[in-house]
């Protein structure tokens, strides 16, 4: 914001004085106030030119300029709001007024930085074609060629045999549990370090979650802690019905170890790959190791349909059953007959069209996010207090979000203070997901750690997600880096 003392005038100023002030301040605008200091109008070069053309002389006062209602904003307006208003009114300056309508500051377009956001949609050039095709053929209602196409194309992309397009990733996890016959009183093991949508479906089915800590190598489910839980549960006669493994922030979990345990204890795996579409573990796509894999196309994910999800499996019968359950479980009868509980979980043909377009640009989105992460890591490499999320050599992360942990033994800067300092520069950073075993919702649930102390508690206390959108420019990437440098120095 800019100081305004040198651009305030009253009606007693002359046209000449006004021109001189415009010239000196170089702001292209003056603020005319009344005796009480209340804003009456703004004045530009053009206003003065029109006064002169109407016969006024340079020594005449500004008193004939009429009061108008200038565009103003309050003190709490955000950059994004102000920029939107400037675009809408086609202006480059907006005064800030206090509660009494007295000007206190001036916003200039060139000083306003659009907010650098954590993760936002990034459309390609094909989405519209698919959606328009749906309109042209009136395939608006649920199902249609885009749904079939999206399912097949996604399954081919990740190397799975079958896929069902659904209304959300959460719906996909829910159906996976339903299909594994998870019910009241059953136990489901689940990564603790995740978003709540991984675990909510366990509760939908009336089952009991048992949470598993992360390991230091992947920040995802610790096989050591998982085995402790499997052993305990099996020994006490309550073999878990499923293991929900999350590939958080685009990094895969240690799938060799986890699949070996799944086999040893005969408990099926559901992979929550909502954040890891496009990521590989030893050359194979995340989501294709377990009995089921789940993807999300929510607005913040690496590709989006504005909202949606996909359930994949190599078992075609189970995916057929998922399609059946997701369309209200209607029995094959000439009328509406139902024997099982169903859901309205199917993806619409319009949204699947967006998905087909997004799938075409997925590889470039993964590359862009990986570049963002690399730029942060190399740009900030001199700071020893920063521990970047691990990327084992055998894996290929999609770097959905760039995550860094601030070692409290090497810096005083906490996630909270970093997030707030970046917010002042209009940069959005966020805490990492708060682990499930720490959530009030899951109070009292059992939790297994690898060591004495909980590693994901440490991550929650120390780690931050940085802006990571694939449409973030290098200039913006560098701005975030230089702001972090300032804060850490
Ligand atoms: C986004 C997300 C989900 C849920 O996906 P929706 O499509 O939003 O329902 C599940 N798990 C994780 C880890 C997620 O990030």
């Amino acid at each position: 914001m800019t100081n305004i003392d040198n651009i305030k005038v009253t009606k007693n100023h002359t046209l000449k004085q006004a021109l001189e002030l415009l010239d000196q301040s170089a702001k292209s605008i003056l603020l005319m106030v009344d005796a009480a200091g209340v804003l009456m109008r703004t004045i530009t070069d053009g206003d003065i030119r029109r006064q002169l053309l109407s016969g006024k002389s340079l020594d005449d006062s500004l008193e004939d300029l009429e009061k108008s209602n200038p565009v103003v904003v309050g003190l709490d307006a955000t950059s994004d709001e102000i920029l939107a208003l400037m675009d809408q009114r086609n202006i480059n300056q907006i005064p800030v007024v206090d509660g009494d309508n007295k000007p206190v500051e001036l916003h200039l377009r060139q000083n306003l930085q659009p907010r650098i956001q954590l993760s936002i949609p990034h459309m390609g050039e094909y989405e519209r074609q698919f959606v328009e095709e749906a309109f042209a053929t009136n395939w608006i209602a649920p199902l249609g060629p885009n749904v079939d196409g999206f399912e097949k194309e996604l399954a081919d992309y990740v190397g799975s045999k079958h896929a069902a397009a659904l209304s959300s990733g959460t719906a996909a996890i829910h159906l996976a549990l339903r299909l594994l016959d998870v019910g009241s009183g059953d136990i489901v093991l689940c990564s603790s370090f995740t978003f709540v949508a991984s675990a909510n479906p366990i509760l939908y089915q009336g089952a009991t979650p048992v949470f598993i800590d992360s390991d230091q190598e992947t920040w995802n489910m610790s096989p050591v802690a998982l085995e402790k839980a499997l052993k305990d549960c099996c020994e006490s006669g309550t073999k878990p019905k499923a293991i929900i493994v999350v590939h958080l922030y685009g990094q895969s979990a240690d799938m060799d170890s986890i699949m070996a345990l799944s086999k040893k204890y005969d408990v099926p795996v559901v992979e929550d790959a909502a954040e890891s579409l496009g990521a590989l573990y030893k050359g194979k796509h995340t989501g294709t190791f377990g009995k089921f894999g789940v993807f999300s196309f929510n607005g913040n994910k690496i590709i989006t349909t504005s909202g949606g999800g996909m359930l994949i499996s190599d078992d075609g019968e189970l995916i057929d059953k998922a399609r059946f359950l997701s369309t209200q479980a209607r029995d094959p009868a000439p009328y509406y007959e139902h024997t099982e509980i169903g859901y309205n979980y199917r993806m619409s043909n319009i949204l699947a069209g967006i998905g087909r377009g997004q799938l075409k640009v997925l590889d470039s989105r993964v590359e862009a996010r990986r570049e963002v992460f690399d730029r942060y890591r190399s740009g900030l490499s001199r700071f020893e207090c920063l521990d970047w999320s691990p990327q084992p050599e055998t894996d290929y992360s999609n770097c959905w979000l760039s995550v860094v942990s601030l070692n409290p033994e090497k810096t005083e800067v906490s996630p909270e203070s970093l997030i707030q300092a970046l917010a002042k520069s209009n940069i959005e950073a966020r805490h990492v997901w708060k682990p499930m075993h720490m959530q009030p919702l899951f109070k009292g649930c059992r939790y297994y750690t690898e060591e004495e102390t909980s590693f994901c508690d440490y991550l929650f206390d120390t780690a931050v997600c940085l802006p990571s959108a694939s449409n973030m420019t290098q200039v913006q990437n560098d701005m975030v880096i230089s702001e972090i440098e300032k804060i850490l120095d």
Side-chain angles (χ1 to χ4, degrees), residues 167-171 173 194-195 197-198 246 248 272 274-275 295-298 300-301 308-309 400 433:
S167 54
S168 70
T170 313
I173 299 171
T194 188
F195 175 51
S198 306
V246 185
L248 211 63
D272 179 347
E275 301 180 0
F295 299 107
S296 165
F297 312 107
N298 190 31
N300 61 350
K301 297 285 160 45
W400 174 56
W433 302 123

Side-chain angles (χ1 to χ4, degrees), residues 61-98:
S61 77
L62 300 172
E63 66 186 349
D64 284 346
L65 279 170
E66 278 165 25
K67 182 174 178 340
S68 68
N69 283 322
V71 179
V72 295
V73 292
L75 280 161
D76 53 358
T78 66
S79 300
D80 284 350
E81 287 164 2
I82 299 160
L83 279 170
L85 197 56
M86 285 178 172
D87 288 343
Q88 190 192 338
R89 300 302 190 95
N90 199 17
I91 51 180
N92 296 317
Q93 313 90 349
I94 294 187
V96 182
V97 294
D98 65 13

